Protein backbone atom coordinates (compact mmCIF):
# COMPACT_ATOMS: atom_id res chain seq x y z
CA UNK A 1 0.00 0.00 0.00
CA UNK A 2 1.35 3.43 -0.93
CA UNK A 3 1.70 6.06 1.71
CA UNK A 4 0.45 9.62 1.22
CA UNK A 5 4.05 10.85 1.16
CA UNK A 6 4.72 8.69 -1.92
CA UNK A 7 2.73 11.24 -3.97
CA UNK A 8 4.81 14.22 -2.86
CA UNK A 9 6.36 16.11 -5.77
CA UNK A 10 6.79 19.69 -6.94
CA UNK A 11 3.13 19.98 -7.98
CA UNK A 12 2.07 18.74 -4.56
CA UNK A 13 4.28 21.37 -2.92
CA UNK A 14 2.81 24.04 -5.18
CA UNK A 15 -0.74 22.96 -4.29
CA UNK A 16 0.10 23.04 -0.59
CA UNK A 17 1.62 26.47 -1.09
CA UNK A 18 -1.66 27.81 -2.50
CA UNK A 19 -3.48 26.79 0.68
CA UNK A 20 -1.30 29.08 2.79
CA UNK A 21 -2.65 32.48 3.84
CA UNK A 22 -1.67 35.26 1.48
CA UNK A 23 0.76 36.75 3.99
CA UNK A 24 2.70 33.48 4.41
CA UNK A 25 5.76 32.90 2.26
CA UNK A 26 5.74 30.01 -0.17
CA UNK A 27 8.28 27.23 0.23
CA UNK A 28 10.78 25.78 -2.23
CA UNK A 29 12.31 22.52 -1.01
CA UNK A 30 15.98 22.13 -1.97
CA UNK A 31 17.48 18.66 -1.61
CA UNK A 32 21.25 18.48 -1.10
CA UNK A 33 23.65 15.54 -1.10
CA UNK A 34 24.65 15.49 2.59
CA UNK A 35 24.60 17.52 5.78
CA UNK A 36 28.15 18.73 4.97
CA UNK A 37 26.63 20.67 2.06
CA UNK A 38 23.87 22.48 3.95
CA UNK A 39 25.85 25.59 4.93
CA UNK A 40 27.23 26.07 1.40
CA UNK A 41 23.81 25.99 -0.23
CA UNK A 42 22.24 28.05 2.55
CA UNK A 43 24.76 30.83 1.88
CA UNK A 44 23.81 30.85 -1.80
CA UNK A 45 20.05 30.47 -1.42
CA UNK A 46 19.86 33.17 1.27
CA UNK A 47 20.62 35.76 -1.41
CA UNK A 48 17.40 34.90 -3.24
CA UNK A 49 14.82 34.64 -0.49
CA UNK A 50 12.02 37.17 -0.71
CA UNK A 51 8.76 38.14 0.98
CA UNK A 52 7.03 35.71 -1.43
CA UNK A 53 9.24 32.61 -1.21
CA UNK A 54 11.83 30.96 1.02
CA UNK A 55 14.04 27.89 0.54
CA UNK A 56 14.05 24.92 2.89
CA UNK A 57 17.13 22.72 2.58
CA UNK A 58 16.49 19.03 3.19
CA UNK A 59 18.41 15.76 2.99
CA UNK A 60 17.27 12.72 0.98
CA UNK A 61 16.49 10.63 4.07
CA UNK A 62 13.87 8.20 2.73
CA UNK A 63 16.51 5.55 2.17
CA UNK A 64 18.16 6.04 5.55
CA UNK A 65 21.50 7.80 5.81
CA UNK A 66 22.47 7.32 2.17
CA UNK A 67 24.38 10.31 0.81
CA UNK A 68 25.35 11.44 -2.66
CA UNK A 69 24.16 12.93 -5.91
CA UNK A 70 21.80 10.14 -6.95
CA UNK A 71 19.57 10.32 -3.84
CA UNK A 72 19.48 14.12 -4.11
CA UNK A 73 18.51 14.00 -7.79
CA UNK A 74 15.84 11.43 -7.07
CA UNK A 75 14.64 13.83 -4.39
CA UNK A 76 13.39 10.90 -2.35
CA UNK A 77 10.33 10.52 -4.56
CA UNK A 78 11.96 10.11 -7.98
CA UNK A 79 13.63 12.45 -10.46
CA UNK A 80 10.27 13.30 -12.09
CA UNK A 81 9.21 14.87 -8.80
CA UNK A 82 11.51 17.83 -9.42
CA UNK A 83 9.92 21.14 -10.32
CA UNK A 84 9.82 24.79 -9.41
CA UNK A 85 8.83 23.97 -5.81
CA UNK A 86 11.17 20.99 -5.36
CA UNK A 87 14.75 21.26 -6.62
CA UNK A 88 18.05 19.41 -6.23
CA UNK A 89 21.35 21.14 -5.41
CA UNK A 90 24.32 18.93 -6.31
CA UNK A 91 28.02 18.79 -7.09
CA UNK A 92 28.73 18.75 -10.82
CA UNK A 93 31.55 16.20 -10.60
CA UNK A 94 32.46 15.73 -14.28
CA UNK A 95 28.82 15.92 -15.44
CA UNK A 96 29.01 19.53 -16.63
CA UNK A 97 31.98 18.56 -18.82
CA UNK A 98 30.47 15.33 -20.14
CA UNK A 99 28.51 16.86 -23.02
CA UNK A 100 25.31 15.05 -21.95
CA UNK A 101 26.59 11.58 -22.85
CA UNK A 102 25.17 9.94 -19.69
CA UNK A 103 21.64 10.03 -18.22
CA UNK A 104 22.93 11.83 -15.13
CA UNK A 105 24.77 14.48 -17.13
CA UNK A 106 21.67 15.06 -19.27
CA UNK A 107 19.56 15.57 -16.16
CA UNK A 108 22.10 17.77 -14.37
CA UNK A 109 22.77 19.95 -17.43
CA UNK A 110 19.29 20.00 -18.88
CA UNK A 111 16.90 20.40 -15.98
CA UNK A 112 16.21 23.94 -14.71
CA UNK A 113 15.31 22.30 -11.39
CA UNK A 114 18.83 21.01 -10.77
CA UNK A 115 21.25 23.61 -9.44
CA UNK A 116 24.80 22.38 -9.94
CA UNK A 117 28.10 23.73 -8.68
CA UNK A 118 29.77 23.77 -12.15
CA UNK A 119 33.05 23.23 -10.30
CA UNK A 120 33.71 19.58 -9.50
CA UNK A 121 32.42 19.97 -5.95
CA UNK A 122 31.83 22.40 -3.11
CA UNK A 123 35.42 21.86 -1.92
CA UNK A 124 36.74 23.47 -5.10
CA UNK A 125 35.04 26.74 -4.20
CA UNK A 126 36.58 26.53 -0.73
CA UNK A 127 39.97 26.24 -2.46
CA UNK A 128 39.37 29.26 -4.72
CA UNK A 129 42.89 30.67 -5.19
CA UNK A 130 41.95 34.28 -4.44
CA UNK A 131 40.63 33.25 -1.02
CA UNK A 132 43.56 31.14 0.20
CA UNK A 133 45.63 34.02 1.54
CA UNK A 134 42.71 34.96 3.79
CA UNK A 135 42.72 31.37 5.08
CA UNK A 136 46.39 31.73 6.07
CA UNK A 137 45.66 34.97 7.94
CA UNK A 138 42.79 33.34 9.84
CA UNK A 139 44.94 30.37 10.81
CA UNK A 140 48.05 32.29 11.89
CA UNK A 141 46.94 35.85 12.74
CA UNK A 142 49.92 36.97 10.70
CA UNK A 143 49.32 39.23 7.71
CA UNK A 144 52.44 38.55 5.68
CA UNK A 145 52.74 36.86 2.28
CA UNK A 146 55.67 34.40 2.13
CA UNK A 147 54.70 33.58 -1.46
CA UNK A 148 52.06 34.67 -3.93
CA UNK A 149 49.50 31.92 -3.35
CA UNK A 150 47.21 32.94 -6.20
CA UNK A 151 50.12 32.92 -8.66
CA UNK A 152 51.24 29.52 -7.37
CA UNK A 153 47.78 28.01 -7.91
CA UNK A 154 47.63 29.51 -11.40
CA UNK A 155 50.97 27.93 -12.28
CA UNK A 156 49.85 24.65 -10.72
CA UNK A 157 46.73 24.71 -12.86
CA UNK A 158 48.73 25.38 -16.03
CA UNK A 159 51.09 22.53 -15.19
CA UNK A 160 48.28 19.96 -14.84
CA UNK A 161 46.07 21.28 -17.66
CA UNK A 162 47.37 18.94 -20.40
CA UNK A 163 46.66 15.76 -18.44
CA UNK A 164 43.39 17.13 -17.07
CA UNK A 165 42.06 17.50 -20.62
CA UNK A 166 43.07 13.91 -21.34
CA UNK A 167 41.16 12.81 -18.24
CA UNK A 168 37.99 14.52 -19.46
CA UNK A 169 38.44 12.86 -22.85
CA UNK A 170 38.70 9.42 -21.24
CA UNK A 171 35.50 9.98 -19.29
CA UNK A 172 33.65 11.33 -22.31
CA UNK A 173 34.81 8.34 -24.33
CA UNK A 174 33.67 5.94 -21.60
CA UNK A 175 37.26 4.77 -21.24
CA UNK A 176 37.75 6.00 -17.67
CA UNK A 177 39.01 2.59 -16.58
CA UNK A 178 41.99 3.10 -18.92
CA UNK A 179 43.00 6.33 -17.18
CA UNK A 180 41.10 6.65 -13.93
CA UNK A 181 40.47 9.59 -11.63
CA UNK A 182 42.81 7.96 -9.12
CA UNK A 183 45.62 7.95 -11.68
CA UNK A 184 44.97 11.61 -12.46
CA UNK A 185 45.16 12.40 -8.75
CA UNK A 186 48.51 10.63 -8.46
CA UNK A 187 49.87 12.50 -11.47
CA UNK A 188 48.74 15.91 -10.20
CA UNK A 189 49.43 15.77 -6.47
CA UNK A 190 52.03 18.00 -4.88
CA UNK A 191 55.01 16.86 -2.86
CA UNK A 192 56.59 18.92 -0.11
CA UNK A 193 56.55 22.59 -1.07
CA UNK A 194 59.77 24.49 -0.37
CA UNK A 195 58.77 28.10 0.22
CA UNK A 196 62.23 29.24 -0.81
CA UNK A 197 61.85 27.59 -4.23
CA UNK A 198 58.13 27.08 -4.95
CA UNK A 199 58.75 27.18 -8.69
CA UNK A 200 60.87 24.03 -8.39
CA UNK A 201 57.80 22.08 -7.30
CA UNK A 202 55.83 23.36 -10.30
CA UNK A 203 58.63 22.38 -12.69
CA UNK A 204 58.79 18.90 -11.17
CA UNK A 205 55.03 18.55 -11.50
CA UNK A 206 55.06 19.79 -15.09
CA UNK A 207 57.76 17.25 -15.97
CA UNK A 208 55.72 14.42 -14.45
CA UNK A 209 52.59 15.53 -16.29
CA UNK A 210 54.56 15.88 -19.52
CA UNK A 211 55.75 12.28 -19.32
CA UNK A 212 52.21 11.06 -18.74
CA UNK A 213 50.82 13.09 -21.65
CA UNK A 214 53.56 11.80 -23.93
CA UNK A 215 52.73 8.24 -22.94
CA UNK A 216 49.00 8.76 -23.54
CA UNK A 217 49.64 10.47 -26.88
CA UNK A 218 51.69 7.53 -28.08
CA UNK A 219 49.20 4.92 -26.90
CA UNK A 220 46.12 6.78 -28.17
CA UNK A 221 47.43 8.49 -31.27
CA UNK A 222 43.98 8.50 -32.83
CA UNK A 223 42.75 10.72 -29.96
CA UNK A 224 45.39 13.47 -30.06
CA UNK A 225 43.39 15.65 -32.44
CA UNK A 226 40.20 14.99 -30.46
CA UNK A 227 41.94 16.13 -27.27
CA UNK A 228 43.07 19.34 -28.98
CA UNK A 229 39.48 20.01 -30.06
CA UNK A 230 38.32 19.28 -26.53
CA UNK A 231 40.71 21.91 -25.18
CA UNK A 232 39.03 24.52 -27.36
CA UNK A 233 35.58 23.42 -26.24
CA UNK A 234 36.55 23.55 -22.56
CA UNK A 235 37.98 27.05 -22.96
CA UNK A 236 34.70 28.10 -24.58
CA UNK A 237 32.92 26.78 -21.47
CA UNK A 238 35.20 28.85 -19.22
CA UNK A 239 37.50 25.98 -18.21
CA UNK A 240 41.04 27.18 -18.95
CA UNK A 241 44.63 26.28 -18.22
CA UNK A 242 44.67 28.79 -15.35
CA UNK A 243 41.56 27.58 -13.51
CA UNK A 244 41.21 23.86 -14.30
CA UNK A 245 41.99 23.01 -10.66
CA UNK A 246 38.39 24.05 -9.97
CA UNK A 247 37.17 21.10 -12.03
CA UNK A 248 39.39 18.40 -10.52
CA UNK A 249 38.19 16.08 -7.77
CA UNK A 250 37.50 18.23 -4.72
CA UNK A 251 38.86 15.96 -2.00
CA UNK A 252 42.07 15.46 -3.98
CA UNK A 253 42.46 19.22 -4.41
CA UNK A 254 42.09 19.78 -0.67
CA UNK A 255 44.25 16.94 0.61
CA UNK A 256 46.96 16.62 -2.03
CA UNK A 257 47.33 20.18 -3.28
CA UNK A 258 46.00 22.99 -1.10
CA UNK A 259 46.92 21.53 2.29
CA UNK A 260 50.36 20.65 0.90
CA UNK A 261 50.77 24.32 0.03
CA UNK A 262 49.16 25.97 3.06
CA UNK A 263 50.77 23.78 5.72
CA UNK A 264 54.34 25.09 5.24
CA UNK A 265 53.07 28.65 4.75
CA UNK A 266 51.14 28.57 8.03
CA UNK A 267 54.02 26.88 9.85
CA UNK A 268 56.32 29.67 8.70
CA UNK A 269 53.92 32.43 9.70
CA UNK A 270 53.23 30.88 13.10
CA UNK A 271 56.93 30.47 13.80
CA UNK A 272 57.54 34.07 12.82
CA UNK A 273 54.79 35.31 15.15
CA UNK A 274 56.04 33.16 18.04
CA UNK A 275 59.58 34.46 17.56
CA UNK A 276 58.22 37.98 17.69
CA UNK A 277 56.40 37.25 20.96
CA UNK A 278 59.56 35.71 22.41
CA UNK A 279 61.58 38.76 21.45
CA UNK A 280 59.13 41.31 22.82
CA UNK A 281 58.23 39.55 26.09
CA UNK A 282 59.60 41.36 29.15
CA UNK A 283 59.76 38.21 31.27
CA UNK A 284 59.05 34.51 31.11
CA UNK A 285 55.55 34.73 32.57
CA UNK A 286 54.50 37.32 30.01
CA UNK A 287 55.90 35.13 27.25
CA UNK A 288 53.98 32.11 28.49
CA UNK A 289 50.75 34.08 28.73
CA UNK A 290 51.11 35.62 25.27
CA UNK A 291 52.20 32.42 23.53
CA UNK A 292 49.33 30.50 25.14
CA UNK A 293 46.80 33.13 24.04
CA UNK A 294 48.25 33.18 20.52
CA UNK A 295 48.14 29.42 20.10
CA UNK A 296 44.62 29.30 21.49
CA UNK A 297 43.49 31.87 18.88
CA UNK A 298 44.78 29.93 15.89
CA UNK A 299 42.47 27.99 13.60
CA UNK A 300 43.06 24.60 12.01
CA UNK A 301 43.67 24.93 8.27
CA UNK A 302 41.16 22.26 7.24
CA UNK A 303 38.50 23.79 9.48
CA UNK A 304 39.19 27.22 8.00
CA UNK A 305 38.82 25.81 4.48
CA UNK A 306 35.49 24.23 5.34
CA UNK A 307 34.26 27.55 6.72
CA UNK A 308 35.65 29.57 3.83
CA UNK A 309 33.06 31.81 2.15
CA UNK A 310 35.44 34.14 0.27
CA UNK A 311 34.70 32.61 -3.10
CA UNK A 312 31.62 34.49 -4.23
CA UNK A 313 33.50 36.40 -6.92
CA UNK A 314 34.34 33.10 -8.64
CA UNK A 315 32.72 33.13 -12.12
CA UNK A 316 31.22 29.66 -11.58
CA UNK A 317 29.46 30.93 -8.47
CA UNK A 318 27.87 33.56 -10.68
CA UNK A 319 26.56 30.83 -12.97
CA UNK A 320 24.85 29.14 -10.03
CA UNK A 321 23.28 32.45 -9.04
CA UNK A 322 21.95 32.94 -12.54
CA UNK A 323 20.42 29.45 -12.52
CA UNK A 324 18.49 30.34 -9.38
CA UNK A 325 17.33 33.62 -10.90
CA UNK A 326 16.05 31.65 -13.90
CA UNK A 327 14.22 29.29 -11.53
CA UNK A 328 12.54 32.14 -9.68
CA UNK A 329 11.25 33.61 -12.94
CA UNK A 330 9.22 30.42 -13.43
CA UNK A 331 7.50 30.69 -10.06
CA UNK A 332 3.83 31.69 -10.05
CA UNK A 333 2.72 34.78 -8.22
CA UNK A 334 1.51 33.98 -4.73
CA UNK A 335 -2.22 33.23 -4.94
CA UNK A 336 -2.13 33.26 -8.74
CA UNK A 337 -3.41 30.64 -11.14
CA UNK A 338 -0.29 30.42 -13.33
CA UNK A 339 0.38 26.97 -14.68
CA UNK A 340 3.47 25.24 -13.32
CA UNK A 341 5.64 22.38 -14.55
CA UNK A 342 3.42 21.97 -17.63
CA UNK A 343 0.28 21.10 -15.62
CA UNK A 344 -2.17 23.16 -13.64
CA UNK A 345 -3.48 22.28 -10.23
CA UNK A 346 -6.53 20.52 -11.61
CA UNK A 347 -4.47 18.18 -13.79
CA UNK A 348 -2.18 17.58 -10.83
CA UNK A 349 -5.15 16.48 -8.74
CA UNK A 350 -6.32 14.15 -11.51
CA UNK A 351 -2.85 12.67 -11.73
CA UNK A 352 -2.78 11.89 -8.02
CA UNK A 353 -6.30 10.41 -8.11
CA UNK A 354 -5.25 8.19 -11.00
Amino acid sequence: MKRLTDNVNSRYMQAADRLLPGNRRGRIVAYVESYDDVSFWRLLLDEFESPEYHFQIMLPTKGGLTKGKKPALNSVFGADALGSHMIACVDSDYDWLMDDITPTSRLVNGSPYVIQTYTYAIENYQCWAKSLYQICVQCTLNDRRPIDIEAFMTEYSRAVWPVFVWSVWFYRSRRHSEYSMQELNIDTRLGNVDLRRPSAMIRSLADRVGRRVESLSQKYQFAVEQVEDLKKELVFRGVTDSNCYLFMQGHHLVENVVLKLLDPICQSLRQERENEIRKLAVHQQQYQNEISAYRHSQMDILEALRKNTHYRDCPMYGRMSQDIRNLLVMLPERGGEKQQDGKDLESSDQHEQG
Side-chain angles (χ1 to χ4, degrees), residues 22 53 57 71 78 96 119 146 260 342:
Y53 287 98
I57 297 176
W96 185 55
T119 62
K260 291 282 189 179

Side-chain angles (χ1 to χ4, degrees), residues 30-49 55-59 72 87-92 114-122 125-126 311 316-317 319-321 323-324:
Y31 283 97
V32 301
E33 297 185 42
S34 76
Y35 50 80
D36 294 327
D37 302 338
V38 172
S39 61
F40 174 87
W41 290 107
R42 171 46 57 194
L43 182 70
L44 175 64
L45 296 175
D46 265 348
E47 301 177 23
F48 298 94
E49 294 204 336
F55 292 91
Q56 181 181 2
I57 297 176
M58 298 182 67
L59 301 177
I87 65 175
C89 299
V90 298
D91 290 337
S92 292
V114 176
I115 309 299
Q116 61 173 314
T117 56
Y118 291 101
T119 62
Y120 189 96
I122 288 171
Y125 280 111
Q126 295 166 343
Y311 46 72
M316 298 303 151
Y317 193 87
R319 292 195 180 199
M320 287 195 300
S321 298
D323 286 346
I324 297 175

Side-chain angles (χ1 to χ4, degrees), residues 62-306:
K62 185 178 181 181
L65 296 177
T66 303
K67 303 178 184 178
K69 177 184 288 188
K70 186 172 291 186
L73 289 175
N74 286 336
S75 298
V76 184
F77 311 104
D80 58 350
L82 295 176
S84 61
H85 286 65
M86 182 180 288
I87 65 175
C89 299
V90 298
D91 290 337
S92 292
D93 302 321
Y94 263 9
D95 284 320
W96 185 55
L97 308 178
M98 291 294 281
D99 198 30
D100 299 346
I101 67 170
T102 67
T104 299
S105 64
R106 287 193 291 272
L107 174 61
V108 170
N109 297 327
S111 173
Y113 311 120
V114 176
I115 309 299
Q116 61 173 314
T117 56
Y118 291 101
T119 62
Y120 189 96
I122 288 171
E123 289 87 353
N124 300 74
Y125 280 111
Q126 295 166 343
C127 295
W128 173 233
K130 290 184 178 181
S131 70
L132 294 181
Y133 173 67
Q134 179 66 30
I135 296 297
C136 293
V137 174
Q138 291 176 343
C139 293
T140 66
L141 308 182
N142 189 345
D143 192 11
R144 187 179 69 82
R145 300 174 186 259
I147 67 170
D148 188 333
I149 299 175
E150 186 177 347
F152 182 94
M153 290 300 298
T154 298
E155 292 306 310
Y156 168 83
S157 191
R158 288 172 177 162
V160 305
W161 167 251
V163 76
F164 166 77
V165 179
W166 271 99
S167 173
V168 176
W169 178 85
F170 275 103
Y171 273 78
R172 278 197 179 190
S173 304
R174 300 178 181 266
R175 294 172 173 264
H176 51 271
S177 61
E178 298 173 40
Y179 183 66
S180 66
M181 189 77 68
Q182 183 179 10
E183 291 175 289
L184 175 68
N185 292 346
I186 293 173
D187 287 338
T188 59
R189 64 187 177 185
L190 288 180
N192 295 323
V193 177
D194 186 347
L195 298 182
R196 296 168 297 181
R197 299 185 309 125
S199 58
M201 171 56 65
I202 297 297
R203 287 195 299 270
S204 175
L205 173 64
D207 289 343
R208 186 166 73 243
V209 167
R211 291 191 295 270
R212 172 65 79 174
V213 170
E214 183 179 2
S215 173
L216 293 175
S217 299
Q218 291 176 355
K219 186 175 181 180
Y220 300 93
Q221 294 182 19
F222 68 92
V224 172
E225 185 175 346
Q226 297 175 29
V227 171
E228 289 302 313
D229 290 340
L230 177 57
K231 283 183 182 179
K232 297 174 184 177
E233 180 190 330
L234 292 177
V235 170
F236 180 77
R237 287 174 175 262
V239 184
T240 69
D241 61 347
S242 61
N243 71 3
C244 70
Y245 71 92
L246 291 171
F247 307 93
M248 300 169 62
Q249 191 177 56
H251 291 301
H252 159 69
L253 181 66
V254 171
E255 297 171 5
N256 298 318
V257 180
V258 172
L259 287 181
K260 291 282 189 179
L261 174 62
L262 298 192
D263 271 334
I265 293 176
C266 289
Q267 288 177 19
S268 174
L269 292 175
R270 285 167 177 161
Q271 187 62 51
E272 180 183 86
R273 182 64 76 212
E274 291 188 7
N275 290 339
E276 182 183 70
I277 293 172
R278 184 178 294 105
K279 180 180 178 180
L280 296 176
V282 176
H283 47 73
Q284 184 65 18
Q285 187 60 51
Q286 185 183 45
Y287 168 74
Q288 292 294 340
N289 291 342
E290 289 295 327
I291 203 71
S292 177
Y294 172 63
R295 291 174 177 173
H296 182 72
S297 300
Q298 295 172 13
M299 182 180 290
D300 177 74
I301 301 174
L302 186 56
E303 179 184 1
L305 283 173
R306 287 173 176 165

